[in-house]
DNA sequence: TCTTAAAATCGATACGTTTCGTATCTATAT
DNA sequence: ATATAGATACGAAACGTATCGATTTTAAGA
């Protein structure tokens, strides 16, 4: 395998720990790491999370199973690592219009993404996380927390704008807005689409009371 | 095993199909069925969903693995069957006070239940359902739908009462209110407790806008 | 500077383990 | 005759580990 010229190009928080140690010994082959991540994502996309096995990734990448286990502690960690870069690229937070418009745009986009092929992958990761604490913690750390932080800022901006009441419970609001995605994706098996997201947004923004 | 005196006492939708057939042949042993369901629930409670294996249930119940597979199509179906009766008993829908008060009471109770030992079991069932369509459909049919129906009626009552606006999107409102439980339970790993449920309820009822 | 030993990586293969779900077989009840 | 129950064995996945040889890198000693 040819050597990549951009060493450490995207060392992830999950796998960078061991790479930092320096001393005698052969260096980690970045091309192999790349091939594994790529094969992992391709497997996720082709087979879904059900067919995502370490053996399949090993076969597709040309790497040995041993090599995968040396660098990723579990199936779930590898899945998240392989999936995250692509996902982040597709889910930006708009910051242009009013806070409520930005919120609606974000919810619409998220519904579009979660309603597609990424939705199945996320569902698989969360399912795996129920019997693997490290996986769900990694999902939280790398996928949820950054976005929740953005959501928090968005609502704060809306309060500063005068769009939202200053006494709202921001955490509860985020729970209501984003929790609905989990219910529909994981349990209720109802479709996620932008039109629904818009109705959800309107409902929470306006409230139920007269 | 002693014979139970209440045959068909709680024939479930999931397992009643085969029991209806009549003709020559030995009758199904209700005591065995009971012992399996009981052992299944005990296993769930003792080991969590991770340790919930058919073999463990067989060992605990004294029944053969074959017998279990004859009557339950999958692990998930058995888990739901064993868990549901107990769960239903603990999660009633109040219908006394105002609609918003009843809603809050229900959310508080649900948070209490989901924050306890049932929460882990539900999480396990939903996780299993992600790779087993029959399981998640059964969960939906027997656990979600009846409660969602009650939630719908509650909101309709609130509209008739004059407590809620007549133009609210009931489905979206239920998504927001109950979806939050799934997010916190399955992905965000944040505690579910009555105080939080109350804040959630207030937030959705009042809305975010000024 | 050159050599050499230690350390770490990678691929290949083989295991041991768990768990699922099925197949057989015998005995028993209707 | 037919369906049920229990016992046991079996095959198939897939996980994660162990072991081995070959290769690459670093550090220390001559």
């Amino acid at each position: 395998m040819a050597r990549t010229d951009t060493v450490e190009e995207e060392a992830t928080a999950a796998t960078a720990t061991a790479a930092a140690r320096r001393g005698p010994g052969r260096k980690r082959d970045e091309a192999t790491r790349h091939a594994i991540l790529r094969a992992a994502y391709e497997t996720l996309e082709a087979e879904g999370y059900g067919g995502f096995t370490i053996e399949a990734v090993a076969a597709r990448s040309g790497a040995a199973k041993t090599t995968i286990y040396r660098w990723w502690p579990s199936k779930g960690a590898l899945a998240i690592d392989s999936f995250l870069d692509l996902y982040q690229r597709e889910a930006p937070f708009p910051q242009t219009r009013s806070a409520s418009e930005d919120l609606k745009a974000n919810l619409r986009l998220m519904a579009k993404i979660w309603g597609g092929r990424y939705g199945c992958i996320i569902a698989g990761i969360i399912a795996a996380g129920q019997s693997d604490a490290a996986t769900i913690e990694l999902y939280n750390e790398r996928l949820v927390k950054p976005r929740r932080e953005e959501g928090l800022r968005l609502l704060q901006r809306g309060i500063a704008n005068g769009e939202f009441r200053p006494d709202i419970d921001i955490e509860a609001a985020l729970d209501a807005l984003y929790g609905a995605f989990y219910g529909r994706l994981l349990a209720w098996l109802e479709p996620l689409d932008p039109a629904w997201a818009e109705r959800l947004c309107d409902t929470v923004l306006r409230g139920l009371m007269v």
Side-chain angles (χ1 to χ4, degrees), chain A:
Chain A
M1 291 177 186
R3 208 67 202 279
T4 55
D5 44 5
T6 53
V7 177
E8 298 292 327
E9 51 174 338
E10 46 174 346
T12 63
T15 62
T17 47
R21 188 163 5 102
R22 283 265 43 83
R26 178 174 174 174
K27 273 198 290 196
R28 179 170 185 186
D29 189 335
E30 281 299 314
T32 296
R33 174 176 156 277
H34 213 96
I36 292 171
L37 283 174
R38 181 189 187 79
Y41 183 74
E42 286 174 3
T43 306
L44 272 178
E45 209 176 23
E47 315 272 343
Y49 200 90
F52 181 76
T53 68
I54 298 287
E55 256 129 21
V57 176
R60 192 186 280 262
S61 68
K65 215 166 49 147
T66 340
T67 304
I68 298 177
Y69 275 111
R70 200 194 321 275
W71 296 107
W72 285 274
S74 71
K75 234 172 84 131
L78 176 58
I80 293 173
D81 248 15
S82 73
F83 159 75
L84 207 75
D85 287 341
L86 289 168
Y87 178 78
Q88 279 173 334
R89 214 161 294 155
E90 301 201 23
F93 247 84
Q95 293 244 9
T96 54
R97 291 159 285 181
S98 74
S100 54
E101 284 302 313
D102 285 355
L103 178 63
K104 185 173 294 185
N106 176 253
L107 291 172
R108 283 175 56 95
L109 178 59
M110 182 166 163
K112 188 162 168 244
I113 293 174
W114 282 45
R117 66 191 192 287
Y118 286 138
C120 303
I121 298 176
I122 292 172
I125 290 173
I126 293 171
Q130 301 311 308
S131 55
D132 178 3
T135 294
I136 201 69
E137 275 159 24
L138 191 58
Y139 171 85
N140 241 288
E141 205 61 46
R142 300 195 52 203
L143 228 148
V144 175
K145 276 193 186 165
R147 281 161 188 75
R148 184 129 182 147
E149 196 62 36
E150 294 230 49
L152 184 128
R153 277 200 292 275
L154 195 154
L155 293 187
Q156 286 174 332
R157 183 157 57 90
I159 293 173
N161 269 355
E163 290 180 75
F164 302 147
R165 284 184 289 104
D167 64 333
I168 62 174
D169 186 319
I170 292 183
E171 294 299 325
L174 292 172
D175 288 348
L177 288 165
Y178 292 98
F181 285 79
Y182 289 87
R184 281 177 93 98
L185 175 70
L186 296 166
W188 307 331
L189 305 179
E190 297 196 51
L192 290 160
D193 57 79
W196 164 79
E198 201 156 320
R199 289 187 288 127
L200 174 74
C201 188
D202 288 338
T203 300
V204 175
L205 287 182
R206 298 184 57 197
L208 304 184
M209 293 193 308
V210 176

